[in-house]
Amino acid sequence: MTNKKSQFLNKMFLFFASVGFILIFNQEKLVSVASFLLPAGIVLIYGLIVKASSRGLNDFDLAEHHTESIYFMGFLFTLISLTVLFYRFSTGFFALDSTEQISETFHFIGISVTTSIAGVLMRSIVRPGILSQYSSDDDSLEKSFEILKQIAS
């Protein structure tokens, strides 16, 4: 992976993570369905950007790192969603009636679940495409076994 591609993907991760945080934190200003699905959509879009940028990579470890960052973004949104829920507990959450409390709690838990699923799903879709670009050395296991036999004897 070229240094420019890696820098681009690092900046995209930071950008999409910031946008996701803003969307999750300010969810009451959005339509309920949009605020529920947008963070997962951001993870999906980021995954597609990583997939498109992974063509012609020459550094397997860096490619693997950026592939894993898709999952990490989903998990980051999960943590942000739960943090915002706990923050709301301390800022007037209990002034709401019980129906609104339950609704808001499940809303944030739903964001947590959907972003985690989106991260795992996109990572699982993108990863095989990246792995297929690198030749697998079938003899490497046998070579490792031979080296271990030599060390042991």
Side-chain angles (χ1 to χ4, degrees):
M1 175 179 283
T2 64
N3 194 27
K4 289 182 181 181
K5 280 186 180 182
S6 181
Q7 288 177 353
F8 169 74
L9 289 174
N10 287 337
K11 289 176 184 175
M12 287 294 100
F13 182 87
L14 184 61
F15 172 75
F16 283 116
S18 300
V19 169
F21 171 76
I22 291 167
L23 286 175
I24 293 170
F25 193 75
N26 295 312
Q27 64 84 29
E28 72 274 353
K29 297 175 184 168
L30 298 172
V31 177
S32 181
V33 174
S35 67
F36 184 74
L37 296 177
L38 278 176
I42 289 171
V43 174
L44 296 176
I45 291 169
Y46 176 71
L48 293 174
I49 289 172
V50 170
K51 183 174 179 147
S53 298
S54 68
R55 294 189 182 124
L57 303 177
N58 54 9
D59 186 353
F60 176 76
D61 292 332
L62 198 53
E64 185 73 12
H65 162 73
H66 286 296
T67 302
E68 294 297 323
S69 71
I70 301 167
Y71 167 74
F72 294 137
M73 181 174 287
F75 186 65
L76 177 66
F77 288 170
T78 295
L79 295 177
I80 290 170
S81 178
L82 293 174
T83 302
V84 169
L85 175 62
F86 296 141
Y87 172 75
R88 303 246 186 214
F89 281 155
S90 67
T91 59
F93 181 79
F94 295 108
L96 301 173
D97 68 5
S98 61
T99 305
E100 290 173 340
Q101 287 177 355
I102 292 171
S103 176
E104 192 164 328
T105 300
F106 278 113
H107 180 80
F108 282 108
I109 291 172
I111 291 173
S112 298
V113 171
T114 58
T115 56
S116 288
I117 290 172
V120 170
L121 179 66
M122 281 309 293
R123 178 192 166 272
S124 298
I125 291 171
V126 172
R127 191 166 191 263
I130 289 178
L131 291 178
S132 68
Q133 296 178 15
Y134 297 93
S135 64
S136 62
D137 189 7
D138 294 332
D139 296 331
S140 64
L141 184 59
E142 292 175 15
K143 289 176 186 176
S144 298
F145 180 69
E146 292 300 322
I147 292 171
L148 286 174
K149 280 188 355 184
Q150 289 174 357
I151 293 171
S153 57

